[in-house]
Amino acid sequence: MDDRTDPTLITTSPSRGEDPQRVVDVWAHKAMQAGWQVEVVPGFGTPSRKQAMTTRGIQDYGLVDVEGLQYVVKFGPRFRVPLHEVTETGAAVERPFLTYTAWAEPVLVEADLDDYI
């Protein structure tokens, strides 16, 4: 059994205004620190921040190859954290909030899925 963290569980916490290519590079670096051999796939067509977000505010930022399997690095609201606010009455309240995160999801090709059925 492999003791490395699965690439789908590796995340980074870039700011919303961060350059998409930098987000992909930082995710790749973090995956390499976890022991994976990672290559950023050039020519993915990294979107600009001005392009429309995809479903649920999640945007594809780049493509990486992790030891023979390709993953799309995504960016969007993902992790639930508490947000502390002070109301008009001065009372402190806590409500849930989703933070922006970068993560990777495998590129699944129908031919690949046939191997597991």
Side-chain angles (χ1 to χ4, degrees), residues 3-106:
D3 289 336
R4 298 178 290 183
T5 301
D6 188 272
T8 61
L9 301 176
I10 297 170
T11 62
T12 65
S13 299
S15 65
R16 286 180 68 184
E18 188 119 20
D19 175 56
Q21 186 60 52
R22 174 144 171 76
V23 172
V24 173
D25 291 341
V26 169
W27 185 93
H29 178 75
K30 195 166 180 181
M32 285 186 265
Q33 286 181 318
W36 296 99
Q37 293 179 14
V38 181
E39 291 182 34
V40 175
V41 177
F44 180 75
T46 303
S48 71
R49 290 186 299 273
K50 294 184 178 183
Q51 286 179 308
M53 297 296 260
T54 58
T55 308
R56 301 181 325 254
I58 297 170
Q59 195 170 26
D60 295 346
Y61 266 18
L63 189 66
V64 293
D65 183 287
V66 181
E67 297 182 6
L69 293 176
Q70 290 192 335
Y71 292 77
V72 175
V73 177
K74 296 180 172 283
F75 176 78
R78 174 116 179 178
F79 286 114
R80 182 185 176 113
V81 295
L83 178 66
H84 298 91
E85 295 181 316
V86 177
T87 64
E88 293 174 4
T89 63
V93 295
E94 181 179 297
R95 66 178 178 91
F97 179 76
L98 292 175
T99 61
Y100 278 77
T101 306
W103 70 97
E105 293 180 3

